[in-house]
Amino acid sequence: MDNYKHIAFNIAHITGNENGYISDAVKNKKISGNGQFTKLCHKKFNTLLNNQKNLLTTSCTDALEMTAILADIQPGDEVIMPTYTFVSTANAFILRGAKIRFIDSRMNHPGMDEEKIEEVITAKTKAIVSVHYAGVACDMDKILALAKKYNLLVIEDAAQAIDSFYNNKPLGSIGDLGCFSFHETKNIQCGEGGLLAINDSKFIKRAEIIWEKGTNRAAFWRGEIDKYNWEDIGSSFLPSEINAAFLYAQLQELEHIQSSRKEIWNKYFKNLSELADLGVKLPYIPDYASNNAHMFYLVCRDGKERTQFISHLKDNNINAVFHYICLHDSPYYYEKHDGREMSNAKRYEECLVRLPLWMGLSETEINYICNSIHQFYNS
Ligand SMILES: Cc1ncc(COP(=O)(O)O)c(C=O)c1O
């Protein structure tokens, strides 16, 4: 078996058009936010998501923070979300004084177990945050039905879910609000970036104000008012035109990026599927969900095996990585948690491994990675 110098877990894809668009932004001398490239990105997202309005943000973290303000979260309000998620999902609501009610993962998928949501709903619950782990949809009909029954908001953390669908509806466009990430590790990226998708028109006016430091500057730029004012709380949530120009180049190549990523994902799945006979789990995609090839993961049989597995791959110059540490028993939250066990999420915390997946990962490299994996499990 040939040995590779190093196979990275992620290498950011560059389409080749980023520099040209950035220099257009520089030539225009309009480099701050909400300019030509921001508008081009918004237009493209309007088509992709077919929703009410979209606002670029500097990160998914920022988009989530905007949703917490829009949801009018007050100290003591409760927000429901999976424990197996990125810290920003929770932080956005903690910053407004919320209490988080964490939910375990499903047995067959790291995403939140929808069956465990209703038991934690109280009179103080304000919102359910559905995190589409690995770009694979939560069961949105179940979540929307609960939200309707208890009058709750649904916020989709679609950080990993660009170009992914629930029963053919784009993720991020289904709940009241959706949040995307364009961090360097995502399918399309601009280093750091995000999007707030607004799916209920009642949020549009306030969202634009929060986006622009609490002022109605966006309306001013459109010529709707003759001066802008401090109207509400807000922050500097909008990215510069440099980021928007970069992202626009990526958005134009979305189809090509997605078909290449799916090819890699399918090669992994085909080559590794027999590991299931040994009890190693491969990604599970429910019938209602699409696969956007954001991530290819394996779930080892126990934590010790995962440590040895990652180290075996490292010895073969392959960088495979684990993922989230559960939030319910994190140093920040464990004393605030209500004590419910989260055994499925703990299993993903201890046993899940993500394999390299990036544009340009060659067939030879994929075969080399798969052979190294088989070598581990056959020895
Ligand atoms: C589920 C989830 N939510 C939110 C974020 C935060 O995204 P960003 O880095 O764009 O702030 C991430 C980051 O990877 C994530 O995985």
Side-chain angles (χ1 to χ4, degrees), residues 81-91 100 102 324-334 337 349:
M81 66 182 64
T83 183
Y84 194 71
T85 185
F86 194 64
V87 68
S88 298
T89 321
N91 248 336
I100 310 294
F102 287 111
Y324 304 131
I325 310 292
C326 291
L327 297 181
H328 73 279
D329 62 358
S330 60
Y332 177 70
Y333 212 79
Y334 78 102
H337 177 59
E349 173 186 313

Side-chain angles (χ1 to χ4, degrees), residues 59-61 64 85-86 88-89 131 157 159-160 181 183 186 193 324:
S59 62
C60 183
T61 302
L64 285 160
T85 185
F86 194 64
S88 298
T89 321
V131 180
D157 182 337
Q160 305 167 10
S181 172
H183 180 264
K186 303 303 185 291
Y324 304 131

Side-chain angles (χ1 to χ4, degrees), residues 110-347:
M112 159 165 80
D113 186 344
E114 298 85 357
E115 301 302 331
K116 295 191 176 141
I117 295 175
E118 191 162 13
E119 66 199 53
V120 299
I121 295 177
T122 70
K124 290 181 176 167
T125 310
K126 277 283 177 66
I128 303 172
V129 187
S130 56
V131 180
H132 303 300
Y133 185 79
V136 176
C138 297
D139 189 335
M140 291 309 289
D141 281 347
K142 281 192 186 154
I143 291 172
L144 291 174
L146 285 173
K148 192 165 174 213
K149 184 169 169 190
Y150 294 99
N151 194 25
L152 309 174
L153 283 178
V154 174
I155 296 161
E156 293 178 76
D157 182 337
Q160 305 167 10
I162 189 75
D163 193 45
S164 205
F165 300 83
Y166 171 78
N167 285 334
N168 299 319
K169 262 205 108 187
L171 297 185
S173 75
I174 302 168
D176 299 278
L177 298 159
C179 304
F180 290 89
S181 172
F182 307 118
H183 180 264
E184 181 180 300
T185 48
K186 303 303 185 291
N187 293 26
I188 57 166
Q189 56 93 21
C190 57
E192 303 277 354
L195 181 82
L196 174 70
I198 302 166
N199 309 323
D200 181 334
S201 56
K202 77 173 182 221
F203 293 114
I204 294 176
K205 190 163 176 235
R206 190 162 183 233
E208 265 192 351
I209 289 170
I210 293 164
W211 190 55
E212 272 277 23
K213 299 103 181 155
T215 74
N216 48 359
R217 187 152 72 167
F220 173 72
W221 286 127
R222 284 196 297 267
E224 293 165 13
I225 45 176
D226 58 6
K227 59 178 183 313
Y228 67 87
N229 234 319
W230 185 16
E231 298 269 323
D232 201 334
I233 60 168
S235 191
S236 187
F237 287 119
L238 73 174
S240 88
E241 279 291 284
I242 309 274
N243 288 44
F246 194 115
L247 185 65
Y248 187 59
Q250 300 258 322
L251 265 170
Q252 286 187 313
E253 251 203 37
L254 180 65
E255 235 176 89
H256 169 57
I257 292 171
Q258 287 300 89
S259 67
S260 304
R261 291 187 71 101
K262 283 177 197 172
E263 234 176 79
I264 297 170
W265 197 99
N266 288 331
K267 278 181 190 146
Y268 271 138
F269 195 79
K270 197 164 163 218
N271 196 316
L272 298 173
S273 53
E274 67 199 49
L275 291 179
D277 299 337
L278 302 175
V280 177
K281 300 263 185 326
L282 283 89
Y284 164 72
I285 318 276
D287 287 344
Y288 53 68
S290 68
N291 172 25
N292 73 344
H294 172 61
M295 185 194 297
F296 193 94
Y297 64 82
L298 294 173
V299 186
C300 296
R301 291 170 294 194
D302 58 47
K304 192 166 159 231
E305 179 179 288
R306 183 184 67 178
T307 307
Q308 289 165 348
F309 180 64
I310 290 178
S311 141
H312 167 82
L313 294 181
K314 194 168 169 224
D315 290 344
N316 286 283
N317 297 321
I318 300 161
N319 189 19
V321 295
F322 55 84
H323 209 185
Y324 304 131
I325 310 292
C326 291
L327 297 181
H328 73 279
D329 62 358
S330 60
Y332 177 70
Y333 212 79
Y334 78 102
E335 278 183 356
K336 303 177 188 71
H337 177 59
D338 55 36
R340 280 168 306 121
E341 296 230 339
M342 308 268 152
S343 55
N344 289 332
K346 287 304 282 183
R347 187 161 44 83

